[in-house]
Amino acid sequence: MKYALVRVNVPHKNVDKDFHYIVPDRLSDSLSTGMRVYVPFGSGNRRTEGYILGFSDKSEVEDDRLKEILDIHEQYSVLSSERIQLASWMSRKYYSTFNECLHCIAPKAVKTKTFRCLSIDRDNPDIDELIAAVHKRAGKQSMVLELFHGDAQIPQSHIKSILDIDSSPINALVKKGILKVSEHRQYRGNYSRSVRLEDEKPTLTAEQRSVLDIIYKEKRPVLLHGVTGSGKTEVYLRLIEDTLNKGKQAIVLVPEISLTPQTVDRFVSRFGERVALTHSRMSDGERYDQWTRAARGDVDIMIGPRSAVFTPFERLGIIIIDEEHESSYKAEQSPRYDARETALKLAELYGARVVMGSATPSVVSYYKTVTGEYALACMNNRVNMKMPSIKVCDMRSELAKGNYSVFSSDLKSALAENLQNGRQSILFLNRRGYSTFVSCRNCGYVMTCSRCSVNYTYHKGDSGLICHYCGSRIPIPQRCPECGSPHIKYFGTGTEKIEQEVLRLFPSARVLRMDRDTTERKNSHADILDKFRSGKADILIGTQMIAKGLDFPAVTLVGVLAADLSLNMNDYRSGEVTYSLLTQVSGRAGRADEAGRVYIQTYNPQHYSIVYAQNGDYLSYFNEELSFRRIMGYPPFSNIFYVLITSDNNDKALNAANTLAEIFARYNKNYMFERLGPAPAVISKINNKYRYRIIIKCSDEDKIKAYVLYCLDKFNTLKGFGDVSISIALNPNYAV
Ligand code: ADP
Ligand code: ZN
Ligand code: ZN
């Protein structure tokens, strides 16, 4: 073949096509589809990474205007034909460039690290005489030689540290032709915690056996609906064991937030070195090396967040998606892929199984078990057979009784009791800081960030006001900027204030707080959890960071301080988020021998998601949620496109939004698409950028995509909107 079709690893729209390159003679035998190569690219002929997507005998461009491939990166294909198909599926599905999708599937190569090993050069015919000569003279060189037995290869760093020497005796032996040097690839980011291998597997419960039977029989993807503590992880472990026994490989997706050492250890203690891990705090080098280990088949199980779906296993047998309902499975930047959908596509290409587990499946996924797209498997009981008892505390009646504190009397006495009995408690409030808004008692002025349309949050520890959107911080005002009054008042409660309240009520309690402010330092996250687990604290206060996946056997009490926060979040998903959060956080109580107690504080005790969460009645919750969605035309009954228009200049942003709305109206033939707006976005200004939004709704995903992209193309041909930027998102995680 004369030409190779090369995709450069540059995610720009203008280069989103295959380029022809001449295959030089010296490479003609070694090139194959999917290989990573280097090519000269652009006017400066910059050495650029690319992938070979195919070959051709013909080119429309003259030979003298074509360039040659420079060289090969590694002598194996990093993109199978399945993965190339996946990239083109992704680029259609998530309206992004093919190159962007390839970039997710095969990350850019990072400089690799090697280390030096030494061994006796047996190919040297004079080797025995040479060695004898060194022995004769006992010294550092002979000490080095004594370390070698047979064909042993020893890393240079080991020799140096064992004998406490520098490199010169080693170099001298190399120079004499006695030792030979080999370079070995060093893989960064290997799991370094030492984990004891399990002695024996637990005997499965009847429910675990029955869901495994269902999963093995099913061809369809399976949604595993199992209450918290029902033993879903053990089901995953058995599925993986079965997969490995068949010579296949497994990907386990876990939300970043639950990717704790405790979670990973459960897999490592069962499967040892066959397990690898990736996460977002890894360096590019670490992530690339783990990706390479997977591509080489050195590991069979990869655990990681959303991006781990792209683990290059060519013997893929199963993809497990734990906490299936988590919004973090959807990428928030282009390509805005959904790891669940991507997993299903990948599994289809490789003939692999998909199992999605959750105690609170997302409404959209559970609906697919109703339509038959997914199979359903259920586990309704905890392994320890003890569901927590959940009590809802009506904070309106607490107020009426004259209780103005952040704790209902029930929660307060339960906390006191737990402290007395030496049991652990968790307090959950999904809001960090001390007070969530600060205003003037005299004129009512509210302290608002000057760059964003957002209230400042008071952080006592930092003694300042912080904007949670742009991060700007100002000192505590002594006087109202509006009227000069010195009477400034602090409203609303965050985790920092809860911590102080707990210490005021229970001065001897040992308290830990976990939120973004206390986990900025590396490892602080794990440190707090370790401390709590080892019993060095009585009460853990935290935001959603503590709501999910944690398994602390000694916790018998959970308090949800304000269930209303998520109910008031101004989004059609508020009920779903609340049900899931309450169930997940309640699931932290009573996981071992003793049954747990949960107190949910709210001003809306009648709200369906609170009532059903209290009863642990997912199905009733789901049915009520579904009828609400059907009436309102929300997903799964429609698709919602958010179009966000932003500019430094308010008039320009508004003008562009109006113009775009006119275009949407003009091409809305037969009124197939519902349009809302333009209107200011939920947060109308962030970081001095003004934000407007238009919402387009339609039940047909392909039609709505085609329509929105068409209208945007029309808009992009117009002049005069240079300083306006537009972004789009289909069914995003949060309303914009
Ligand atoms: P889930 O993932 O559904 O919340 P886990 O898999 O964490 O539940 O299981 C809850 C607890 O029960 C864990 O401590 C786990 O070790 C234990 N467990 C799970 N399956 C069994 C079993 N078959 N026999 C005994 N203990 C089990
Ligand atoms: Zn004032
Ligand atoms: Zn701000």
Side-chain angles (χ1 to χ4, degrees), residues 326-345:
E326 276 288 314
S327 61
S328 62
Y329 284 125
K330 219 174 237 179
E332 288 187 35
Q333 267 153 16
S334 189
R336 293 173 172 269
Y337 70 92
D338 183 319
R340 290 160 294 199
E341 294 167 344
T342 309
L344 292 170
K345 182 67 192 176

Side-chain angles (χ1 to χ4, degrees), residues 405-440:
S405 97
V406 290
F407 296 108
S408 57
S409 45
D410 280 348
L411 178 55
K412 192 172 145 189
S413 47
L415 264 178
E417 207 180 297
N418 245 32
L419 279 170
Q420 206 152 42
N421 299 336
R423 299 280 184 275
Q424 287 185 310
S425 311
I426 285 181
L427 295 175
F428 171 76
L429 178 67
N430 207 6
R431 202 155 58 174
R432 66 195 170 98
Y434 192 86
S435 296
T436 47
F437 79 97
V438 182
S439 73
C440 169

Side-chain angles (χ1 to χ4, degrees), residues 237-353:
L237 292 169
R238 299 298 173 113
L239 289 168
I240 294 169
E241 185 184 333
D242 174 70
T243 304
L244 300 198
N245 285 342
K246 295 195 170 104
K248 299 206 165 174
Q249 296 162 312
I251 296 174
V252 184
L253 301 184
V254 177
E256 186 89 40
I257 203 169
S258 0
L259 204 54
T260 57
Q262 189 203 357
T263 309
V264 183
D265 286 356
R266 280 181 78 178
F267 291 85
V268 177
S269 66
R270 180 86 42 106
F271 301 109
E273 290 182 342
R274 305 311 296 167
V275 182
L277 164 75
T278 95
H279 56 76
S280 67
R281 291 172 314 260
M282 279 182 161
S283 68
D284 288 350
E286 289 171 333
R287 216 165 316 126
Y288 176 66
D289 282 356
Q290 295 307 310
W291 189 89
T292 308
R293 284 178 80 206
R296 294 166 48 102
D298 292 350
V299 292
D300 293 316
I301 303 159
M302 180 66 85
I303 304 174
R306 141 183 108 220
S307 62
V309 74
F310 300 114
T311 302
F313 283 153
E314 289 308 314
R315 291 177 281 116
L316 184 64
I318 191 168
I319 306 177
I320 290 163
I321 307 173
D322 191 25
E323 312 283 0
E324 161 294 319
H325 60 278
E326 276 288 314
S327 61
S328 62
Y329 284 125
K330 219 174 237 179
E332 288 187 35
Q333 267 153 16
S334 189
R336 293 173 172 269
Y337 70 92
D338 183 319
R340 290 160 294 199
E341 294 167 344
T342 309
L344 292 170
K345 182 67 192 176
L346 199 64
E348 178 193 315
L349 290 166
Y350 280 90
R353 210 190 273 292

